[in-house]
Amino acid sequence: YLPVGVHIQEALLELGIKTMGQLTGLSVNSLAERFGVEGIRACELASGVDSRKPQLPAAKKEFKCSVELGGAIELLHETQFVLKSMLDRLTAQLKEEGLLAEELLLSFFNENEKFDERPIRLLVPSSHPRFLLEVLKLSLEARPLSREFTGAALVVSRFCRESWEQARIGGAAMPSSSVALSLAAQPHDVGVHTEILAGELAGDDAGTIVSQSRDDSRSFSLTLMLQRFMAKLGAETVVRSVPNDQYLPENAGVWLPVTGDCAVGSILPVNVSYINSRTGPAGLASGLVLRRAPAADPVLVEFQGELPTSIVYQGQWHRIKEITEPERLSGLWWERPVRRSYYVALIEPRDKRSKAAVSAHRRADDLSCAGEASLLVLLVHDHEGNGWYLEGFFD
């Protein structure tokens, strides 16, 4: 009857210990040496001493809602009405528990057949029903239902504790880190799409935004815009930059989905204190992220002595205003031998009157503080192939 492990029971039987009294006659030290903590606990239990504290198992939190309709529904506005009532119930439960939804699982049924199931990751954890309804609407617009439905189920498949340290926007906390669009990271495009989306939110949705400040309204609209990209183009669309400690500078950063997990096995943390001690805030590319081109662009280089002074990029001459000392790296002989010199260069069109040159780099103009149409680039001299390439831009 003694609640101990099977290996202890067998060992006690081999020693001829068959009763509680026999066990209490043994030395506590000998039991501790033989069985460790379990031996001490067995001696205490045999003596009637129970230091364990019985506890009820924590109840598993579930937030789900389902509805059976009297007839079939196919139209989007009728679907939204059904989803709104389900969201009102779920968000009330979340707010009561002090939780925010991170992922929703939406399912549709025709009679007893489930014909559509879609997990929806949220860019911003939220318990605001109006925001969540917009997210569900975006999913349905991006991937319409293939048939009418007679029932629906909505589950909060992932949730997190509500944080009181971040700014609140319409019931949703904005992420503290910046995000970018992997296909449209230009400031000009973001501004245009933000204004368009703000206009689309007029009508019933305007009440949510009008109550906020102008800055909050733009943030709310921008969040929905990014969610729209995720709904139409996939969760991989909205990404964030993560430093990666790699041998070659062009691999020193990666882009990870904002909705993905932070822990990635292939990412090596960067020793920031060492980098700061080497370059400091005065480093030419300090604090910036390299935005690599799909393929390195070959460039023609003009020299003065040993240092490049100008390059031809996309048919235009660019003057090099500032350039770093080369970082020369070699190795990887077991894969593909590498012998390269890396330069961080600040360039500008040699002919400033060339509108074509300025418009070609328009998306990078606002990201540089060095002047109109200036670009900060990673210039590489490949000694193996004896060629010069532009690997990417620093944003």
Side-chain angles (χ1 to χ4, degrees), residues 10 13 24 38 46 52 57 68 70 100 135 142 150 171 179 210 223 247 269 302 316 321 324 329 335 361 373 383:
E10 293 176 349
L13 287 176
T24 56
E38 287 186 281
R52 298 175 301 173
E68 292 289 338
L100 300 174
V135 172
T150 59
V179 296
V210 170
T223 303
Y247 181 61
E302 185 179 57
Q316 297 288 338
K321 298 177 63 178
T324 61
L329 299 175
E335 294 179 358
H361 305 296
H383 298 277

mmCIF file of all heavy atoms in Angstrom, residues 10 13 24 38 46 52 57 68 70 100 135 142 150 171 179 210 223 247 269 302 316 321 324 329 335 361 373 383:
data_model
loop_
_atom_site.group_PDB
_atom_site.id
_atom_site.type_symbol
_atom_site.label_atom_id
_atom_site.label_comp_id
_atom_site.label_asym_id
_atom_site.label_seq_id
_atom_site.Cartn_x
_atom_site.Cartn_y
_atom_site.Cartn_z
ATOM 1 N N GLU A 10 10.329 -3.483 -5.300
ATOM 2 C CA GLU A 10 11.062 -4.718 -5.579
ATOM 3 C C GLU A 10 12.317 -4.828 -4.713
ATOM 4 O O GLU A 10 12.643 -5.914 -4.199
ATOM 5 C CB GLU A 10 11.432 -4.756 -7.062
ATOM 6 C CG GLU A 10 10.223 -4.879 -7.993
ATOM 7 C CD GLU A 10 10.612 -4.826 -9.447
ATOM 8 O OE1 GLU A 10 11.790 -4.480 -9.731
ATOM 9 O OE2 GLU A 10 9.756 -5.111 -10.310
ATOM 10 N N LEU A 13 11.329 -5.760 -1.141
ATOM 11 C CA LEU A 13 10.955 -7.175 -1.034
ATOM 12 C C LEU A 13 12.189 -8.066 -1.038
ATOM 13 O O LEU A 13 12.263 -9.067 -0.323
ATOM 14 C CB LEU A 13 10.025 -7.553 -2.189
ATOM 15 C CG LEU A 13 8.592 -7.002 -2.109
ATOM 16 C CD1 LEU A 13 7.804 -7.357 -3.367
ATOM 17 C CD2 LEU A 13 7.871 -7.544 -0.878
ATOM 18 N N THR A 24 10.096 1.373 8.899
ATOM 19 C CA THR A 24 10.441 2.449 9.840
ATOM 20 C C THR A 24 11.600 2.037 10.747
ATOM 21 O O THR A 24 12.235 2.895 11.367
ATOM 22 C CB THR A 24 9.225 2.805 10.705
ATOM 23 O OG1 THR A 24 8.743 1.623 11.370
ATOM 24 C CG2 THR A 24 8.108 3.400 9.861
ATOM 25 N N GLU A 38 13.437 9.680 -2.807
ATOM 26 C CA GLU A 38 12.296 8.756 -2.749
ATOM 27 C C GLU A 38 12.363 7.857 -1.509
ATOM 28 O O GLU A 38 11.328 7.528 -0.919
ATOM 29 C CB GLU A 38 12.264 7.890 -4.006
ATOM 30 C CG GLU A 38 11.832 8.631 -5.254
ATOM 31 C CD GLU A 38 11.684 7.694 -6.439
ATOM 32 O OE1 GLU A 38 12.727 7.338 -7.028
ATOM 33 O OE2 GLU A 38 10.541 7.307 -6.760
ATOM 34 N N ALA A 46 5.630 5.897 5.683
ATOM 35 C CA ALA A 46 5.428 4.727 6.549
ATOM 36 C C ALA A 46 5.244 5.142 8.001
ATOM 37 O O ALA A 46 4.581 4.433 8.780
ATOM 38 C CB ALA A 46 6.612 3.777 6.408
ATOM 39 N N ARG A 52 3.202 16.078 1.348
ATOM 40 C CA ARG A 52 2.645 16.440 0.048
ATOM 41 C C ARG A 52 1.392 17.271 0.221
ATOM 42 O O ARG A 52 0.648 17.122 1.172
ATOM 43 C CB ARG A 52 2.307 15.176 -0.752
ATOM 44 C CG ARG A 52 3.519 14.298 -1.058
ATOM 45 C CD ARG A 52 3.078 13.023 -1.733
ATOM 46 N NE ARG A 52 2.146 12.268 -0.893
ATOM 47 C CZ ARG A 52 1.492 11.176 -1.270
ATOM 48 N NH1 ARG A 52 1.667 10.718 -2.503
ATOM 49 N NH2 ARG A 52 0.689 10.551 -0.444
ATOM 50 N N PRO A 57 -5.809 19.782 -10.460
ATOM 51 C CA PRO A 57 -5.143 20.137 -11.726
ATOM 52 C C PRO A 57 -5.761 21.391 -12.325
ATOM 53 O O PRO A 57 -6.975 21.614 -12.221
ATOM 54 C CB PRO A 57 -5.393 18.903 -12.609
ATOM 55 C CG PRO A 57 -6.594 18.241 -12.014
ATOM 56 C CD PRO A 57 -6.533 18.506 -10.542
ATOM 57 N N GLU A 68 -25.401 26.359 -35.112
ATOM 58 C CA GLU A 68 -26.147 25.616 -36.124
ATOM 59 C C GLU A 68 -27.243 26.522 -36.662
ATOM 60 O O GLU A 68 -28.055 27.058 -35.896
ATOM 61 C CB GLU A 68 -26.754 24.347 -35.540
ATOM 62 C CG GLU A 68 -25.739 23.294 -35.153
ATOM 63 C CD GLU A 68 -25.094 22.651 -36.358
ATOM 64 O OE1 GLU A 68 -25.701 22.703 -37.447
ATOM 65 O OE2 GLU A 68 -23.991 22.097 -36.215
ATOM 66 N N GLY A 70 -30.555 27.630 -39.122
ATOM 67 C CA GLY A 70 -31.789 27.011 -39.587
ATOM 68 C C GLY A 70 -31.798 26.737 -41.071
ATOM 69 O O GLY A 70 -32.534 25.863 -41.546
ATOM 70 N N LEU A 100 -5.599 37.708 -24.688
ATOM 71 C CA LEU A 100 -5.692 38.198 -26.053
ATOM 72 C C LEU A 100 -5.556 37.022 -27.017
ATOM 73 O O LEU A 100 -4.772 36.108 -26.776
ATOM 74 C CB LEU A 100 -4.588 39.221 -26.354
ATOM 75 C CG LEU A 100 -4.554 40.489 -25.499
ATOM 76 C CD1 LEU A 100 -3.312 41.301 -25.833
ATOM 77 C CD2 LEU A 100 -5.801 41.326 -25.705
ATOM 78 N N VAL A 135 -10.445 40.962 -39.568
ATOM 79 C CA VAL A 135 -9.467 39.945 -39.950
ATOM 80 C C VAL A 135 -10.170 38.742 -40.593
ATOM 81 O O VAL A 135 -9.720 38.216 -41.616
ATOM 82 C CB VAL A 135 -8.641 39.513 -38.725
ATOM 83 C CG1 VAL A 135 -7.754 38.322 -39.068
ATOM 84 C CG2 VAL A 135 -7.787 40.671 -38.218
ATOM 85 N N ALA A 142 -10.156 36.944 -49.311
ATOM 86 C CA ALA A 142 -8.994 36.397 -50.005
ATOM 87 C C ALA A 142 -9.254 34.982 -50.496
ATOM 88 O O ALA A 142 -8.783 34.607 -51.575
ATOM 89 C CB ALA A 142 -7.780 36.425 -49.074
ATOM 90 N N THR A 150 -24.203 25.516 -43.352
ATOM 91 C CA THR A 150 -25.325 25.480 -42.407
ATOM 92 C C THR A 150 -24.855 25.557 -40.961
ATOM 93 O O THR A 150 -25.677 25.592 -40.046
ATOM 94 C CB THR A 150 -26.135 24.186 -42.595
ATOM 95 O OG1 THR A 150 -25.277 23.054 -42.375
ATOM 96 C CG2 THR A 150 -26.715 24.109 -43.997
ATOM 97 N N GLY A 171 -8.339 48.339 -28.680
ATOM 98 C CA GLY A 171 -8.407 47.040 -28.036
ATOM 99 C C GLY A 171 -7.295 46.112 -28.430
ATOM 100 O O GLY A 171 -7.193 45.015 -27.928
ATOM 101 N N VAL A 179 8.042 46.302 -38.487
ATOM 102 C CA VAL A 179 7.868 45.226 -39.451
ATOM 103 C C VAL A 179 8.031 45.792 -40.849
ATOM 104 O O VAL A 179 8.000 46.996 -41.059
ATOM 105 C CB VAL A 179 6.472 44.566 -39.313
ATOM 106 C CG1 VAL A 179 6.349 43.900 -37.973
ATOM 107 C CG2 VAL A 179 5.362 45.590 -39.513
ATOM 108 N N VAL A 210 -12.540 56.900 -35.302
ATOM 109 C CA VAL A 210 -12.721 58.310 -35.004
ATOM 110 C C VAL A 210 -12.431 58.600 -33.544
ATOM 111 O O VAL A 210 -11.927 59.662 -33.191
ATOM 112 C CB VAL A 210 -14.154 58.748 -35.366
ATOM 113 C CG1 VAL A 210 -14.452 60.131 -34.844
ATOM 114 C CG2 VAL A 210 -14.330 58.710 -36.875
ATOM 115 N N THR A 223 -2.112 48.329 -39.483
ATOM 116 C CA THR A 223 -2.184 46.957 -38.993
ATOM 117 C C THR A 223 -3.132 46.125 -39.858
ATOM 118 O O THR A 223 -2.828 44.988 -40.236
ATOM 119 C CB THR A 223 -2.660 46.930 -37.536
ATOM 120 O OG1 THR A 223 -1.792 47.726 -36.737
ATOM 121 C CG2 THR A 223 -2.665 45.514 -36.992
ATOM 122 N N TYR A 247 29.672 34.236 -41.203
ATOM 123 C CA TYR A 247 31.022 34.564 -41.661
ATOM 124 C C TYR A 247 30.998 35.622 -42.753
ATOM 125 O O TYR A 247 31.768 36.585 -42.734
ATOM 126 C CB TYR A 247 31.700 33.289 -42.150
ATOM 127 C CG TYR A 247 33.119 33.481 -42.625
ATOM 128 C CD1 TYR A 247 34.101 33.959 -41.764
ATOM 129 C CD2 TYR A 247 33.474 33.166 -43.934
ATOM 130 C CE1 TYR A 247 35.411 34.131 -42.204
ATOM 131 C CE2 TYR A 247 34.778 33.325 -44.373
ATOM 132 C CZ TYR A 247 35.745 33.812 -43.505
ATOM 133 O OH TYR A 247 37.027 33.982 -43.939
ATOM 134 N N PRO A 269 23.037 34.245 -32.457
ATOM 135 C CA PRO A 269 22.968 35.595 -31.879
ATOM 136 C C PRO A 269 24.250 36.369 -32.125
ATOM 137 O O PRO A 269 25.345 35.813 -32.193
ATOM 138 C CB PRO A 269 22.743 35.322 -30.385
ATOM 139 C CG PRO A 269 23.272 33.937 -30.166
ATOM 140 C CD PRO A 269 23.019 33.192 -31.431
ATOM 141 N N GLU A 302 35.310 52.524 -61.332
ATOM 142 C CA GLU A 302 36.381 53.459 -61.684
ATOM 143 C C GLU A 302 37.226 53.706 -60.434
ATOM 144 O O GLU A 302 36.674 53.884 -59.347
ATOM 145 C CB GLU A 302 35.779 54.768 -62.191
ATOM 146 C CG GLU A 302 36.812 55.765 -62.701
ATOM 147 C CD GLU A 302 36.142 57.034 -63.212
ATOM 148 O OE1 GLU A 302 35.407 57.674 -62.426
ATOM 149 O OE2 GLU A 302 36.342 57.374 -64.387
ATOM 150 N N GLN A 316 23.768 53.783 -65.005
ATOM 151 C CA GLN A 316 23.998 55.146 -64.546
ATOM 152 C C GLN A 316 25.293 55.216 -63.745
ATOM 153 O O GLN A 316 25.590 54.321 -62.950
ATOM 154 C CB GLN A 316 22.831 55.635 -63.663
ATOM 155 C CG GLN A 316 21.494 55.717 -64.370
ATOM 156 C CD GLN A 316 21.449 56.877 -65.363
ATOM 157 O OE1 GLN A 316 22.197 57.828 -65.252
ATOM 158 N NE2 GLN A 316 20.550 56.760 -66.345
ATOM 159 N N LYS A 321 30.719 58.794 -52.449
ATOM 160 C CA LYS A 321 30.991 59.906 -51.537
ATOM 161 C C LYS A 321 31.825 59.453 -50.343
ATOM 162 O O LYS A 321 32.737 60.145 -49.912
ATOM 163 C CB LYS A 321 29.674 60.511 -51.045
ATOM 164 C CG LYS A 321 28.820 61.084 -52.161
ATOM 165 C CD LYS A 321 27.489 61.604 -51.632
ATOM 166 C CE LYS A 321 27.700 62.749 -50.667
ATOM 167 N NZ LYS A 321 26.406 63.294 -50.185
ATOM 168 N N THR A 324 34.291 52.580 -46.866
ATOM 169 C CA THR A 324 35.049 52.024 -45.748
ATOM 170 C C THR A 324 36.301 51.310 -46.246
ATOM 171 O O THR A 324 36.443 51.026 -47.442
ATOM 172 C CB THR A 324 34.191 51.031 -44.959
ATOM 173 O OG1 THR A 324 33.810 49.955 -45.827
ATOM 174 C CG2 THR A 324 32.952 51.708 -44.401
ATOM 175 N N LEU A 329 37.841 38.641 -46.798
ATOM 176 C CA LEU A 329 37.516 37.326 -46.256
ATOM 177 C C LEU A 329 37.801 36.254 -47.297
ATOM 178 O O LEU A 329 37.597 36.469 -48.501
ATOM 179 C CB LEU A 329 36.039 37.255 -45.833
ATOM 180 C CG LEU A 329 35.579 38.221 -44.740
ATOM 181 C CD1 LEU A 329 34.077 38.106 -44.527
ATOM 182 C CD2 LEU A 329 36.321 37.949 -43.441
ATOM 183 N N GLU A 335 33.338 23.900 -49.852
ATOM 184 C CA GLU A 335 32.119 24.057 -50.652
ATOM 185 C C GLU A 335 32.461 24.737 -51.980
ATOM 186 O O GLU A 335 32.613 24.110 -53.010
ATOM 187 C CB GLU A 335 31.084 24.889 -49.875
ATOM 188 C CG GLU A 335 30.563 24.211 -48.624
ATOM 189 C CD GLU A 335 29.568 25.063 -47.886
ATOM 190 O OE1 GLU A 335 29.318 26.200 -48.321
ATOM 191 O OE2 GLU A 335 29.035 24.604 -46.858
ATOM 192 N N HIS A 361 15.870 55.019 -58.000
ATOM 193 C CA HIS A 361 16.167 54.708 -56.603
ATOM 194 C C HIS A 361 15.203 55.417 -55.661
ATOM 195 O O HIS A 361 15.529 55.658 -54.511
ATOM 196 C CB HIS A 361 17.596 55.103 -56.263
ATOM 197 C CG HIS A 361 18.621 54.494 -57.152
ATOM 198 N ND1 HIS A 361 18.843 53.141 -57.205
ATOM 199 C CD2 HIS A 361 19.488 55.048 -58.041
ATOM 200 C CE1 HIS A 361 19.805 52.883 -58.081
ATOM 201 N NE2 HIS A 361 20.207 54.016 -58.607
ATOM 202 N N ALA A 373 18.489 60.987 -53.214
ATOM 203 C CA ALA A 373 18.938 59.917 -54.118
ATOM 204 C C ALA A 373 20.238 59.275 -53.671
ATOM 205 O O ALA A 373 20.832 58.526 -54.433
ATOM 206 C CB ALA A 373 19.071 60.439 -55.547
ATOM 207 N N HIS A 383 37.455 38.190 -55.821
ATOM 208 C CA HIS A 383 38.786 37.940 -56.361
ATOM 209 C C HIS A 383 38.847 36.639 -57.160
ATOM 210 O O HIS A 383 39.692 36.496 -58.047
ATOM 211 C CB HIS A 383 39.811 37.896 -55.218
ATOM 212 C CG HIS A 383 39.924 39.182 -54.464
ATOM 213 N ND1 HIS A 383 40.697 40.238 -54.894
ATOM 214 C CD2 HIS A 383 39.334 39.595 -53.311
ATOM 215 C CE1 HIS A 383 40.608 41.239 -54.028
ATOM 216 N NE2 HIS A 383 39.776 40.881 -53.061
#
